[in-house]
Amino acid sequence: MRTKLLSVLAAAACTVPLALASPASAAPTQTATVDIVPVAAGAVERATVTLVANPGGLGYSAVGSGTGFNPLSQYVSLGYGVNSVPVATNGVPPCADDGTLGDPNTSTLRMFIGAWLPVLGSNRSLAGTQPTTTIDQVNTVSIRRANVPILPQPGDIRPQTFQIRSCGQIVKVN
């Protein structure tokens, strides 16, 4: 009888942690998508980007693919605060810094998502991580091209260095 009771208790102890660790009890990971479309005269760069919140809520990762990129140019994507707009609205340009993520002259790293890397011809891919800004703090995402003929210095990702080409508004998936 004692052996049987110990076996039942051991079996119960093994099933409780499994029930607590089941995926159904975990909070869903926050994700969002962005369809980035041209907003500047002559721009043709387009992309779709997916943002996924980092575990613990601080920061997010981004993956995307795009077309229409000039094979000879450098491109980056930046995220903009909750008051930013995807199209020009009441004198506010699309994907303009609204100041909620810091001064673009000193705090652009909070806006930086990643660089667009060549895939084939005018196609590019984005794989980046933003460690200090949450998805909830960002409303729009841009594609910016390095001003030509002056290429940026390493680490210089200020919006003044990269001209706006395309912009899109984040749509929360969950």
Side-chain angles (χ1 to χ4, degrees):
M1 181 74 161
R2 186 176 195 162
T3 305
K4 193 173 193 179
L5 178 60
L6 288 176
S7 297
V8 170
L9 290 175
C14 290
T15 58
V16 170
L18 291 176
L20 293 175
S22 73
S25 66
T29 301
Q30 184 181 21
T31 60
T33 60
V34 188
D35 286 324
I36 305 174
V37 297
V39 294
V44 295
E45 299 88 348
R46 296 178 168 276
T48 300
V49 174
T50 300
L51 308 174
V52 179
N54 291 338
L58 185 58
Y60 58 88
S61 60
V63 293
S65 61
T67 61
F69 293 83
N70 179 332
L72 302 177
S73 295
Q74 295 179 6
Y75 292 87
V76 297
S77 273
L78 301 180
Y80 304 86
V82 293
N83 298 316
S84 63
V85 293
V87 295
T89 307
N90 298 326
V92 177
C95 282
D97 179 34
D98 66 357
T100 61
L101 298 179
D103 178 358
N105 293 308
T106 59
S107 301
T108 309
L109 289 177
R110 287 197 67 203
M111 298 167 64
F112 183 70
I113 296 173
W116 286 91
L117 303 176
V119 176
L120 180 64
S122 67
N123 297 333
R124 299 274 175 122
S125 68
L126 174 74
T129 300
Q130 172 43 257
T132 61
T133 304
T134 66
I135 292 175
D136 290 332
Q137 293 173 305
V138 181
N139 189 46
T140 59
V141 174
S142 70
I143 296 173
R144 290 182 170 266
R145 182 176 69 192
N147 289 322
V148 184
I150 301 168
L151 292 178
Q153 297 297 315
D156 185 1
I157 55 172
R158 294 173 297 139
Q160 300 88 328
T161 306
F162 286 82
Q163 62 181 295
I164 186 77
R165 300 298 290 168
S166 304
C167 180
Q169 186 167 17
I170 292 175
V171 176
K172 304 286 189 315
V173 177
N174 61 10

